[in-house]
Amino acid sequence: MLDPNKFGTNEEITWCKGCGNFGIFVALKNAFDKLGWKPNDVLLTYGIGCHGHMVNYLNAFGFEGLHGRALPVATGAKLANHKLNVISIVGDGDQLGEGGNHFLHACRRNTDITCIIHDNQVYGLTVGQSSPTSAIGFKSRTAPTGTVEEPINPVSLALAAGAPFVAQGFSGDIKQLTDLFVEAIKHKGFSLVNVFQPCVTFNYLNTYKWFYERVYRLEDTSYTPNDKVVAFQKALELETKLPTGIIYKTEKPLFEESLPQIKEKPLIDQPIDNIDIERLFSEFR
Amino acid sequence: MIKNSVTWKIGGEAGYGIMSSGLIFGKTCLRSGYFVVDTNEYPSLIRGGHNTYIVRAAREEIFSIVKPVDILIALNKNAIDYHKDELSQDSHVIFDTDRISKEDTKVLKKSKLYPIPLISLAKESGGQEIMANTVALGATIALLDGDFEILSDVIADVFGTSKKEIIDINIAVARAGFNYVKKNFPGKISYSLEKQKNKRDLMFLSGSEAVALGAVRAGCKFFAAYPMTPINPIINYFAKNGPDLGIVYKQPEDEISAINMAIGASFAGVRSMTATSGGGFSLMAEGYGMAGMTETPLVIIEGQRPGPATGLPTWGGQADLKFVLHAAQDEFPRIILAPGDPEECFWLTAEAFDLAEKYQTTALVLIDKHLGESRYWSPIIDSSGYKIDRGFLMSEADQQKDYKRYELTKSGISPRPIPGREGFTFRVNSDEHSEYGFSEESAENRVAQMEKRMRKLELCQKEIPDPKVYGDKNAKIIFVGWGSSKGSILEAQKILAEQKIATKFLHLTYMNPLPQKFLEKFFGAIKKEKVLMVEQNYTAQCAALIREKIGYEIKDKFLKYDGRPFYPEEIVEKVKAL
């Protein structure tokens, strides 16, 4: 490794001691380093939630936007300059609750963006409400007698919506997570990494211990991530065991490739001075 | 004696080709040397509702349609029943004897009738039932002594992408209508479309099309918009022409995505726009504020239609002024422009791009269904002298130094970099932020950043042009209007002038910031003059804005909220009742 610390800033980190965010943050910096990037090789868009504070800690181009809306901002930026490496840092409530619609459409649109969900099964920044991924029975401030609704499975949702790269990681396994981020970023097309992470303050159920008892690495098995039906079966394996690794991977045409207007160069590099407008008037005569 | 202007209306069921007939007839009038305005009316249905299209053509400059219809094309009985009371004293009705009986036309007591078997003629000349409208176009041209060659050229242009046979059949069908009238109804009437030379070189386009052209001219590279009446013509233009023009139109999953995509593209460094109507803009409100907070330039086109909720989806209004002035929580510089005709749509859209980048905030252009979807004659716009102003956009070389995205400057404007370049990194932040863009909640920082953002609007106010005042500067009757009702008021002024009633008309196009000094002087000078506010909403939103900002209360108001545009005659009546 060269120097992952170059991706850090001097801002004081305010995440709780032991927060799963740290593992994701470290793995992300490692991945950038492994890819041979400099801080100005990547643009990140962030949602709102504890994860979003990363905008202050990560030295790269950053856009801290609205709750749930990181993917549309990323899409606009990518289409304006498809040479940019674009990553969306999002949360479970942020992306699967508020931004659920954007998630579905980003999966099926297939722009070359990587989406990293910080999935801690709870709302942290608003101090402890149920999230779309909270387990049935999970007690929270909004569900004092236990969560009733079926939790969203981000991986099977992404598969159903057509995402060409779907992976699952765990913030407690930085080595594997680093590799998953590298693979996801390198994959041509929309890539999802759903990262399980404990919230040490508000999630009493999904603790480090709880995760360590369940997670296992797919690369230690004979699993190959090239069959969508098998991938669905793997994605549904969430009761007693939690698979981590690449769940599904396929090649699909990029949305960007459908645009002849950016084939030669990105929109950002196309001159806008002296546009010949007169030729467009003839249609209105 | 030949009258100066003729109003033509075609009515029939949705699906009868009413819209294309209107376009063809309007273009034929323009190319015959006339000044032309048009408008359409349609319910929010695909088939079965009653559609109409009105075209007014004149030998002199006209600014809006008028109420009386001189020539009515009735494709079905409804067209007679619905429009019989709109006919002028000297009116002519062409009706389809294949769908309408003699009995049905008994209600038309004062009009000259032209029973024509439109469907039969269409079929006999190789066409189909749905081409009855085209037969009627040929019949109209014959009745008005127009040049059939112009009509056939327009048909060929409008159906330009169709197969040659389709074009030929349509021309043959129109010819059948033309010949039928020449043979069965010879003689001249008091309206004419005889080919003449117009001294001015004109175009015929809608407000929406002019918005699209203005955006193209200003270098818009990215456009994200979710389909919604009445801004669909803008989407259609970019979806169709984007690949040729080097502009990406992206259809998003919803309006929230639309505005966030547009913001993302602008952040990445290209000129970027979104468009919607009031309902979609309700969804965009949070993004609107985010553009303000992150200081990302953004152009928004808001095509008003009556609400609330779904309201009257295919009709017009001016009831979103206060909404766009205040939408999104808290305060940020919201620049709001309101053009009144296609030429202003072109220029103010281009201006919106410059203002958005110069002041690094939102610039919203308010149009409405009537302005957006009606076509108007317009001079050929000469933009050869226009220079794009990208404000403090940094060069690649500038981006090498230490940098604060939200540097506190005297003007409030900080140099804006483009992500992805070599040199420093930076971040923009929808949280309140330090000069470096890091989240920062101290009271001192909040005040400094808030004042920095709001200073930009103060500077903008100093730079905006004075509004235009039309008419007689000594007139005792003063109209005040804004945005899309311009044409109706100008036309009312013309009618009043013919009756020796002098008026002047203050037309506002910069709604925020307002041209404060000019308005203080203008309203300060009013003594005994009668001032009439004309706007299309229930609470007189612009009058309230003037009272709030200028301190002048306009007592007389002509307000309309039925979804229909102002007819000049209504304004004239209102003036006489003052």
Side-chain angles (χ1 to χ4, degrees), chain A:
Chain A
M1 295 238 173
L2 297 162
D3 176 22
N5 290 329
K6 65 176 173 280
F7 295 101
T9 68
N10 295 323
E11 292 295 292
E12 186 193 343
I13 297 182
T14 58
W15 291 323
C16 305
K17 200 176 172 187
C19 175
N21 284 358
F22 285 100
I24 302 173
F25 181 49
V26 169
L28 199 60
K29 289 190 289 181
N30 288 347
F32 292 171
D33 202 38
K34 260 193 162 177
L35 287 160
W37 285 359
K38 302 185 296 298
N40 44 19
D41 283 330
V42 57
L43 163 65
L44 297 104
T45 69
Y46 304 84
I48 296 292
C50 293
H51 70 274
H53 289 329
M54 200 193 286
V55 71
N56 299 307
Y57 316 141
L58 198 67
N59 179 22
F61 296 109
F63 191 111
E64 165 77 316
L66 300 170
H67 191 52
R69 318 298 175 203
L71 281 173
V73 174
T75 306
K78 186 77 188 179
L79 294 179
N81 184 1
H82 62 277
K83 298 276 164 72
L84 275 175
N85 296 303
V86 181
I87 296 172
S88 287
I89 301 293
V90 303
D92 51 330
D94 170 72
Q95 191 63 70
L96 303 169
E98 193 88 19
N101 199 25
H102 309 314
F103 181 68
L104 291 183
H105 291 272
C107 289
R108 67 180 268 262
R109 182 170 296 132
N110 198 30
T111 44
D112 193 9
I113 291 169
T114 297
C115 176
I116 297 172
I117 302 183
H118 291 51
D119 184 1
N120 60 3
Q121 304 90 33
V122 72
Y123 284 80
L125 199 58
T126 48
V127 298
Q129 297 83 5
S130 293
S131 100
T133 54
S134 294
I136 290 176
F138 175 70
K139 288 182 183 167
S140 73
R141 293 194 183 202
T142 47
T145 56
T147 300
V148 177
E149 291 150 280
E150 181 81 19
I152 282 177
N153 180 329
V155 167
S156 60
L157 194 62
L159 287 171
F165 182 102
V166 183
Q168 191 152 259
F170 172 46
S171 66
D173 188 347
I174 290 173
K175 187 172 177 299
Q176 187 203 34
L177 198 55
T178 300
D179 292 339
L180 287 177
F181 288 160
V182 169
E183 288 302 310
I185 289 165
K186 276 163 68 178
H187 191 79
K188 193 188 91 172
F190 182 81
S191 51
L192 168 73
V193 186
N194 186 61
V195 187
F196 292 123
Q197 63 157 113
C199 170
V200 293
T201 307
F202 296 107
N203 192 330
Y204 63 91
L205 180 68
N206 310 109
T207 61
Y208 278 100
K209 183 168 176 285
W210 187 92
F211 280 115
Y212 278 124
E213 283 166 4
R214 286 164 176 81
V215 293
Y216 73 99
R217 289 177 167 189
L218 284 173
E219 50 267 38
D220 298 338
T221 70
S222 59
Y223 182 77
T224 46
N226 57 5
D227 184 315
K228 202 162 176 174
V229 175
V230 178
F232 266 112
Q233 286 170 343
K234 196 49 78 182
L236 297 175
E237 209 178 84
L238 281 172
E239 292 297 319
T240 51
K241 288 201 264 175
L242 296 173
T244 59
I246 299 170
I247 310 272
Y248 183 63
K249 191 176 161 181
T250 190
E251 299 287 331
K252 280 170 90 169
L254 284 180
F255 178 80
E256 297 88 298
E257 290 167 351
S258 73
L259 301 169
Q261 52 272 61
I262 59 171
K263 203 170 175 195
E264 303 245 317
K265 49 185 166 181
L267 290 178
I268 177 83
D269 292 333
Q270 299 177 18
I272 59 169
D273 294 322
N274 303 317
I275 286 163
D276 176 17
I277 197 78
E278 294 255 346
R279 74 183 173 99
L280 302 177
F281 291 162
S282 59
E283 145 180 25
F284 301 103
R285 289 182 186 236

Side-chain angles (χ1 to χ4, degrees), chain B residues 538-559:
Chain B
Y538 186 84
T539 55
Q541 296 182 11
C542 182
L545 182 67
I546 290 167
R547 188 175 171 187
E548 176 196 334
K549 301 280 187 184
I550 313 297
Y552 184 86
E553 183 174 5
I554 301 174
K555 291 201 180 70
D556 290 304
K557 300 166 189 109
F558 182 22
L559 307 173

Side-chain angles (χ1 to χ4, degrees), chain A residues 40 55-56 58-59 61-65 69 72 76 101-102 109 261 268 270 272 275 281 283-285, chain B residues 27 31 201 204 216 221 247 250 253-254 256 261 268 380-381 388 420 423 425-430 439:
Chain A
N40 44 19
V55 71
N56 299 307
L58 198 67
N59 179 22
F61 296 109
F63 191 111
E64 165 77 316
R69 318 298 175 203
N101 199 25
H102 309 314
R109 182 170 296 132
Q261 52 272 61
I268 177 83
Q270 299 177 18
I272 59 169
I275 286 163
F281 291 162
E283 145 180 25
F284 301 103
R285 289 182 186 236
Chain B
K27 270 182 181 280
R31 290 192 199 175
D201 192 10
F204 186 50
V216 173
K221 297 301 285 180
I247 299 169
K250 180 75 201 84
E253 55 273 23
D254 55 33
I256 300 172
M261 280 188 188
I380 300 293
I381 297 164
I388 285 169
T425 63
F426 66 95
R427 59 198 46 68
V428 303
N429 201 330
S430 88
S439 307

Side-chain angles (χ1 to χ4, degrees), chain B residues 56 60 63-68 479 487-503 567-573 576:
Chain B
R56 183 179 177 219
E60 59 192 36
F63 307 101
S64 92
I65 53 161
V66 289
K67 229 172 186 176
F479 292 115
S488 308
I489 301 173
L490 287 176
E491 198 66 30
Q493 282 190 291
K494 248 176 62 187
I495 299 171
L496 288 162
E498 282 163 16
Q499 300 173 10
K500 310 282 179 231
I501 299 170
T503 59
Y567 286 101
E569 297 91 338
E570 297 173 327
I571 300 173
V572 167
E573 270 174 47
K576 291 187 174 169

Side-chain angles (χ1 to χ4, degrees), chain B residues 497-510:
Chain B
E498 282 163 16
Q499 300 173 10
K500 310 282 179 231
I501 299 170
T503 59
K504 66 176 164 181
F505 165 32
L506 169 69
H507 181 243
L508 293 173
T509 54
Y510 285 75

Side-chain angles (χ1 to χ4, degrees), chain B residues 65-125:
Chain B
I65 53 161
V66 289
K67 229 172 186 176
V69 173
D70 303 314
I71 296 176
L72 174 68
I73 310 295
L75 295 182
N76 63 9
K77 183 172 177 291
N78 281 348
I80 289 173
D81 293 343
Y82 294 167
H83 309 307
K84 61 179 190 295
D85 298 330
E86 299 165 9
L87 294 163
S88 67
Q89 291 304 320
D90 178 9
S91 57
H92 304 259
V93 179
I94 292 173
F95 66 95
D96 187 357
T97 52
D98 293 324
R99 281 203 191 97
I100 302 165
S101 70
K102 232 181 178 170
E103 186 69 23
D104 295 337
T105 60
K106 277 197 173 155
V107 290
L108 300 169
K109 294 199 175 71
K110 57 188 178 187
S111 307
K112 185 159 187 243
L113 302 182
Y114 300 81
I116 305 180
L118 297 176
I119 293 175
S120 307
L121 285 173
K123 286 180 176 167
E124 283 162 21
S125 39

Side-chain angles (χ1 to χ4, degrees), chain B residues 235-280:
Chain B
I235 295 181
N236 297 346
Y237 191 84
F238 282 107
K240 185 174 152 206
N241 299 306
D244 172 45
L245 298 171
I247 299 169
V248 169
Y249 162 66
K250 180 75 201 84
Q251 178 177 348
E253 55 273 23
D254 55 33
E255 286 88 351
I256 300 172
S257 186
I259 194 166
N260 279 280
M261 280 188 188
I263 289 169
S266 177
F267 169 66
V270 300
R271 290 198 148 189
S272 170
M273 176 168 90
T274 185
T276 187
S277 184

